[in-house]
Amino acid sequence: MTNTTHMQAVGDPEGLPRCPIMPTYGPPSVEFVRGEGSYLYDLHDRRYVDWLAGIAVTSLGHSHPAVAEAISAQASKLLHVSNLFATEHQVPIATTLDRMIGDGEPAGGQVFFANSGAEANECAIKLARRYGGRGRHNVVCAFQSFHGRTLSTLAATGQPAKWEVFQPLPEGFRHVAWADLDELDKALDDTVAAVFLEPVQGEGGVNPASIEYFKGVRRLCDERDILFMVDEVQAGLARTGKWFGFQHFLSGDDAPDVVTMAKALGNGMPIGACWAKASAASAFKAGDHATTFGGQPMATSAARATLETMEAIDAPAMAAEKAAEFETALMAIDGVVSTRGLGLLMAVELDGVDARAVAARCLTEGLVLNGVTDTAIRLTPAITIPSEVIAEGAEILARVIAAVRSEAAAEG
Ligand SMILES: *Cc1c(COP(=O)(O)O)cnc(C)c1O
């Protein structure tokens, strides 16, 4: 009955012959109808602690009043006009993002607005090709990386299992071992336009880069006039304890040439952005790239309210503080071996229990998180999560790990 998944979750009120939703996500077991801060509520009004926040999306919590007000005001003012015209929020957001990338000072870049992470990355890849010119179009990425599900971002993604069945893929991507400068050095010939890396590999298991690695990449790129592009779709916008993940490793003039972002930018409204230094962005000419919806008033109203709120609460400092609270709460749980990641982009390594089984059991017990490897769960909670909700979730997680362990022991 793999085709009746949504109907299993929500019942079968329409008497449809099959689930009308494509089976790409596997069977959902819960239908959520509303959210408030770090709590979610299902069809039966049952409350769940949310440690996932839509996988790093609702960083200010669900139904944030500033974002809700911005969206509802915009809805009755102007929803959409073509990008042939200017609209109210694009310039303020682009200016704010440029200042965040410059860590308080203007970084000297320009922004293209998209609708998603994959689309922000498509923009970066097209910009790299335009910058490199004919014959110098290759983009070098890392194994275990994740850059999206469109054909070219899938080709950039360093996980063959995700793309093998979709071959042939667009050409022009190479993969090298993560955090290996020697291998990267060998891959950089005169057909390469850009190196494209995450500051913390998110989907690939939560693997942070290092100062040595990112400084080395910057140097190799500078020596050959290759763009250093950073995918901040998951790590960006305060989650790691800095505005952008790369800022843990690079500063000032060392900043990347291109930075992409999306997930947290609209606190749940779909919006992505590709920022590039003006020297790189100027490779694009009018007509080279476009999108109907990217940067439209509705999405940008949400992004503007999100960024203003993040600045007002000093979201990077708050993320660092909450990450320390999580660390203490998690390490006190029997069965937790270690945590890794940066700030609130965190993996928790478990001892002798199946992490995906733990994640599934947590959901039935009222805690939302996900399994990122066979042995680790991933947490990407709201940056605003209250201390009591950290404690409440930790209590559920401890109970679930103990239950899964004793069941496995009884079976084995
Ligand atoms: C989620 C993610 C993407 C893809 O974003 P979509 O909005 O799903 O297209 C790209 N890169 C990274 C690092 C991500 O985590």
Side-chain angles (χ1 to χ4, degrees):
M1 296 284 278
T2 52
N3 241 354
T4 59
T5 53
H6 280 70
M7 278 152 51
Q8 282 162 358
V10 306
D12 182 13
E14 314 284 345
L16 299 171
R18 69 185 67 77
C19 179
I21 307 297
M22 284 196 191
T24 56
Y25 295 108
S29 50
V30 179
E31 177 173 333
F32 289 120
V33 291
R34 71 191 171 91
E36 233 179 77
S38 284
Y39 288 118
L40 282 166
Y41 297 83
D42 72 9
L43 271 183
H44 313 289
D45 212 32
R46 183 170 171 225
R47 193 173 85 170
Y48 296 72
V49 169
D50 186 5
W51 276 9
L52 200 58
I55 313 185
V57 171
T58 51
S59 285
L60 297 174
H62 297 286
S63 314
H64 191 280
V67 180
E69 272 162 39
I71 293 171
S72 45
Q74 191 66 48
S76 48
K77 192 174 175 192
L78 182 69
L79 271 189
H80 183 87
V81 289
S82 165
N83 275 315
L84 296 171
F85 309 103
T87 53
E88 191 177 344
H89 308 301
Q90 290 196 2
V91 168
I93 298 170
T95 308
T96 303
L97 291 175
D98 190 67
R99 175 163 36 78
M100 287 174 169
I101 287 168
D103 209 9
E105 299 295 325
Q110 294 176 304
V111 171
F112 178 89
F113 288 107
N115 304 290
S116 67
E119 283 182 52
N121 289 345
E122 288 278 350
C123 176
I125 292 163
K126 282 181 74 176
L127 180 61
R129 289 190 175 193
R130 198 72 166 95
Y131 180 85
R134 278 275 157 93
R136 192 166 163 238
H137 61 271
N138 279 306
V139 176
V140 181
C141 307
F143 281 112
Q144 281 97 52
S145 63
F146 183 80
H147 298 294
R149 299 289 197 152
T150 61
L151 282 173
S152 79
T153 59
L154 196 56
T157 291
Q159 303 183 48
K162 286 195 163 60
W163 48 252
E164 248 151 22
V165 297
F166 295 105
Q167 298 201 71
L169 295 174
E171 287 177 43
F173 298 90
R174 290 179 184 169
H175 296 96
V176 295
W178 172 244
D180 184 332
L181 283 172
D182 289 338
E183 221 192 273
L184 181 64
D185 191 11
K186 288 187 198 114
L188 300 182
D189 58 28
D190 59 11
T191 68
V192 172
V195 174
F196 193 22
L197 299 170
E198 292 157 274
V200 185
Q201 290 189 327
E203 304 305 300
V206 188
N207 315 308
S210 63
I211 292 176
E212 188 201 4
Y213 183 41
F214 263 35
K215 283 202 158 163
V217 176
R218 179 73 275 180
R219 179 176 46 77
L220 293 176
C221 287
D222 284 345
E223 286 166 5
R224 297 164 170 84
D225 190 22
I226 288 171
L227 297 177
F228 184 9
M229 314 202 298
V230 177
D231 180 344
E232 295 269 2
V233 169
Q234 188 161 156
L237 298 162
R239 171 154 301 280
T240 66
K242 302 215 181 251
W243 285 117
F244 290 94
F246 77 81
Q247 290 164 335
H248 291 272
F249 314 123
L250 300 172
S251 58
D253 290 346
D254 277 348
D257 303 295
V258 177
V259 177
T260 62
M261 66 199 82
K263 288 188 165 91
L265 184 53
N267 205 53
M269 278 292 274
I271 179 167
C274 175
W275 171 96
K277 283 182 183 164
S279 52
S282 62
F284 271 152
K285 306 295 175 227
D288 276 348
H289 196 43
T291 159
T292 297
F293 289 122
Q296 55 99 278
M298 193 70 187
T300 47
S301 70
R304 190 170 181 180
T306 301
L307 295 179
E308 281 172 8
T309 305
M310 284 184 166
E311 288 198 302
I313 64 173
D314 194 356
M318 191 178 284
E321 206 176 285
K322 301 290 179 186
E325 280 183 44
F326 265 100
E327 173 88 26
T328 309
L330 291 164
M331 290 309 291
I333 296 175
D334 196 23
V336 168
V337 183
S338 59
T339 65
R340 66 171 176 274
L342 275 182
L344 291 178
L345 175 43
M346 196 182 274
V348 184
E349 204 61 47
L350 305 177
D351 180 24
V353 273
D354 176 351
R356 299 188 210 268
V358 167
R361 182 71 164 263
C362 279
L363 187 62
T364 62
E365 297 295 317
L367 172 63
V368 183
L369 44 75
N370 85 340
V372 71
T373 68
D374 291 342
T375 57
I377 52 173
R378 172 174 45 177
L379 316 181
T380 52
I383 292 167
T384 54
I385 187 169
S387 303
E388 313 85 76
V389 187
I390 298 177
E392 194 181 342
E395 200 264 321
I396 298 172
L397 179 60
R399 190 156 28 87
V400 166
I401 291 174
V404 172
R405 269 178 149 183
S406 68
E407 274 164 30
E411 278 168 23

